[in-house]
Amino acid sequence: MENLTIRSSRLVDLNLLRVRVASNLEEFPAYSYFSSFCADQQATADYEVVCVDLDRDEIPESVYADKVDKTFRGKRFKAGYFLVHYFGEPAHLVTVGRTFYVFGRALEKTVWPYFVKHILTIFSADHGFLHLKAAGFELPGAGATLLIGRNGAGKTVFLAQACLAGARFLSNTHTLVRDGVAHGVPSSIRVRRDQCFGELIDRHGLTPHMESGDYVTDASTLFDSPRIGSAPVRNVVIVDYNPASPQGLNRISPGAAEVFMDQFSFAVTTYGLKDDLLAHHGSDFDAYVDSLARMRRQLTQLVEGAECYRANVDMLDIDSRNAALKQLAA
């Protein structure tokens, strides 16, 4: 893929790995998804994502047409479907080793929604990690608490209120786990003006995103306690806030936690990446099965080694919040 004009790039720090995101646009909106960038922008990247906007440069289709991935994901990109419910105009995906080229329009829709999830999953497959959709924080002297839940269950509110109460921020969305230790993946945080975040938005003078109306910020802006990169896992909490149901932080079995996490946290299942993982292993049946089985064993070991809870807690009520955090630290 020679002779492409690159007008901007950022080497992104994802804690355990570095990803270079590059574009032929001078200002690429996808950079706003990230909160941590490498001090040495010339350092070597573990992976690279090159986004070529076809409205910015007239690039003949012959440059990439015969190189487009013939994988399931390559075909989905050509149909304008990137991952799960993320879609846009048709795009053309070309994979060359650890570099991913994509040709199309409004390609910021592919970076965090697909490429980050994909890269974290294949990195985990190659380095013995378990990739989870999980927020997390560390209570002083009490290890990490991972927060799992369906969309809208209250994970972000739980995380924010814990950190405002003195917990240290670990991760907002993605967490990699190995040998009982959780490693957070830095990212921007999108918040809405509501009972939880309205005062924080005003205090820090946050500017709303021009399209979504959400406010984009990061942990270091919102919380006084420092962000940490990793911590041993002590608690796994299934967040399921419903004010109409009985309140409390209740123990659940590791088996129940695992069943829920398989659907709502285990990245391969949650993000629909099974075909991508198979392609990463060169469609080798044995390698794919071994990789997937290893991850599932890690999930079992994680919940069996942690205290597992289901939380229906009003974290905006100070007494309820403090009682929940005290229980998690006990």
Side-chain angles (χ1 to χ4, degrees):
M1 307 301 294
E2 299 178 353
N3 301 320
L4 295 176
T5 300
I6 301 301
R7 297 183 176 89
S8 67
S9 74
R10 303 287 189 278
L11 185 61
V12 178
D13 173 16
L14 294 182
N15 191 3
L16 298 178
L17 63 158
R18 297 176 295 197
V19 177
R20 182 171 299 283
V21 179
S23 173
N24 64 330
L25 298 177
E26 291 83 351
E27 296 294 333
F28 187 36
Y31 301 141
S32 67
Y33 295 134
F34 305 100
S35 63
S36 183
F37 299 92
C38 297
D40 181 4
Q41 283 289 300
Q42 304 307 313
T44 301
D46 298 294
Y47 302 88
E48 187 168 9
V49 179
V50 181
C51 298
V52 182
D53 190 298
L54 296 178
D55 283 336
R56 180 63 176 85
D57 293 314
E58 292 186 10
I59 298 177
E61 190 172 342
S62 59
V63 170
Y64 53 82
D66 62 341
K67 301 179 180 67
V68 170
D69 290 9
K70 297 177 174 57
T71 60
F72 170 84
R73 193 61 57 194
K75 295 174 183 177
R76 296 295 283 173
F77 263 56
K78 289 180 69 175
Y81 292 93
F82 308 136
L83 190 68
V84 195
H85 58 276
Y86 295 101
F87 58 90
E89 292 191 40
H92 309 277
L93 175 63
V94 178
T95 302
V96 181
R98 293 186 176 186
T99 300
F100 306 95
Y101 298 89
V102 58
F103 299 81
R105 296 170 177 83
L107 295 174
E108 62 273 10
K109 295 180 179 180
T110 69
V111 176
W112 187 264
Y114 172 69
F115 285 113
V116 169
K117 298 177 176 72
H118 174 58
I119 287 171
L120 290 173
T121 297
I122 62 175
F123 173 84
S124 296
D126 292 343
H127 296 86
F129 288 91
L130 171 66
H131 176 201
L132 298 175
K133 179 184 180 182
F137 59 85
E138 182 196 44
L139 291 167
T145 293
L146 300 185
L147 303 175
I148 317 298
R150 56 179 171 78
N151 289 338
K155 297 186 300 296
T156 304
V157 172
F158 200 116
L159 173 65
Q161 290 301 312
C163 291
L164 288 170
R168 298 200 296 173
F169 180 94
L170 176 66
S171 181
N172 181 53
T173 305
H174 295 287
T175 302
L176 306 185
V177 179
R178 188 174 68 184
D179 298 330
V181 177
H183 305 267
V185 176
S187 70
S188 294
I189 303 173
R190 290 180 178 268
V191 299
R192 295 183 178 181
R193 181 176 289 281
D194 56 19
Q195 187 178 358
C196 179
F197 293 105
E199 189 274 333
L200 291 172
I201 288 169
D202 292 335
R203 185 198 309 170
H204 297 290
L206 302 183
T207 302
H209 189 275
M210 65 177 60
E211 294 181 2
S212 68
D214 293 346
Y215 294 78
V216 181
T217 183
D218 56 53
S220 61
T221 298
L222 289 179
F223 312 123
D224 293 332
S225 56
R227 177 177 65 84
I228 60 168
S230 62
V233 178
R234 177 169 179 171
N235 304 304
V236 170
V237 177
I238 309 299
V239 180
D240 188 23
Y241 180 60
N242 180 356
S245 297
Q247 304 287 296
L249 181 63
N250 301 310
R251 288 286 187 95
I252 59 174
S253 70
E258 182 176 358
V259 168
F260 189 90
M261 291 178 70
D262 180 70
Q263 296 298 307
F264 288 92
S265 180
F266 181 43
V268 176
T269 303
T270 301
Y271 297 126
L273 292 168
K274 58 183 182 296
D275 293 280
D276 306 79
L277 184 61
L278 179 61
H280 175 66
H281 287 297
S283 297
D284 184 310
F285 174 85
D286 292 326
Y288 171 73
V289 169
D290 287 347
S291 181
L292 196 60
R294 189 263 303 162
M295 293 180 188
R296 291 193 178 279
R297 287 194 301 272
Q298 287 179 294
L299 180 57
T300 300
Q301 292 164 1
L302 173 65
V303 296
E304 289 181 347
E307 303 293 338
C308 300
Y309 299 89
R310 175 175 174 265
N312 186 13
V313 178
D314 182 0
M315 292 295 284
L316 296 177
D317 177 79
I318 293 178
D319 290 338
S320 298
R321 180 190 73 183
N322 292 343
L325 296 179
K326 182 178 179 180
Q327 187 175 345
L328 292 172

